[in-house]
Amino acid sequence: QVQLVESGGGLVQAGGSLRLSCAASGRTFSSYAMGWFRQAPGKEREFVSAIHGSGGYTIYADSVKGRFTISRDNAKNAVYLQMNSLKPEDTAVYSCAARSISFPFPALRSQEYNYWGQGTQVTVSS
C-alpha cells in the first residue's frame, strides 16, 4: 500500500512557475514508478509526466515538454513536478500516482496506476 499526498498548487500568473510535491508513505518508494496527471473542468484526466523508480527514465506529454520537469528523491519518498512558463491552459487539478516497477515503463494511462493522491489545484491566470 502507498499513500500519496500532493502539495504546492496555487494561483499563478501566466509565465510564472510552481513546484508540486507528492509525498509517499511506505519503505519501498523506489519500487514504484510515479506519474503526474491533470484534469481540467469538463475534461478527461490527462497524462503529464512519469518517472521510473530509479529516477533514470522520464517521459512528458508533448504539451508540457520543455516547460515541466519531473524528479524524485527516493530518500525522502517524494516526487516533484517543476512547472515553468505556465499557461492558462495548464489550469487543472494535478494528481500524482504510483505504479509498481514490476510492470513496463512508461505508463501513460491513468488506469495503469494503482495508487492516487487527492490532487492539488493549479490555476494560471492570463
Side-chain angles (χ1 to χ4, degrees), residues 40-109:
K43 295 188 177 181
E44 292 190 354
R45 180 180 285 171
E46 66 171 349
F47 171 81
V48 175
S49 182
I51 186 167
H52 190 267
S54 67
Y57 303 95
T58 59
I59 188 168
Y60 299 91
D62 288 344
S63 59
V64 307
K65 200 173 296 182
R67 300 188 298 122
F68 290 12
T69 302
I70 191 171
S71 62
R72 67 189 295 159
D73 185 338
N74 287 342
K76 295 182 178 180
N77 281 16
V79 62
Y80 309 100
L81 187 68
Q82 178 67 44
M83 306 186 295
N84 298 329
S85 302
L86 283 161
K87 305 175 181 179
E89 51 264 43
D90 294 318
T91 295
V93 174
Y94 285 71
S95 299
C96 64
R99 167 182 165 89
S100 172
I101 61 172
S102 299
F103 299 103
F105 179 87
L108 307 186
R109 300 183 303 163

Side-chain angles (χ1 to χ4, degrees), residues 3-54:
Q3 292 185 324
L4 305 173
V5 179
E6 302 95 334
S7 61
L11 173 64
V12 63
Q13 288 188 331
S17 299
L18 281 175
R19 188 193 194 209
L20 304 184
S21 298
C22 174
S25 65
R27 294 176 291 178
T28 58
F29 182 62
S30 60
S31 299
Y32 295 91
M34 299 299 296
W36 284 99
F37 288 78
R38 67 186 182 185
Q39 187 167 21
K43 295 188 177 181
E44 292 190 354
R45 180 180 285 171
E46 66 171 349
F47 171 81
V48 175
S49 182
I51 186 167
H52 190 267
S54 67

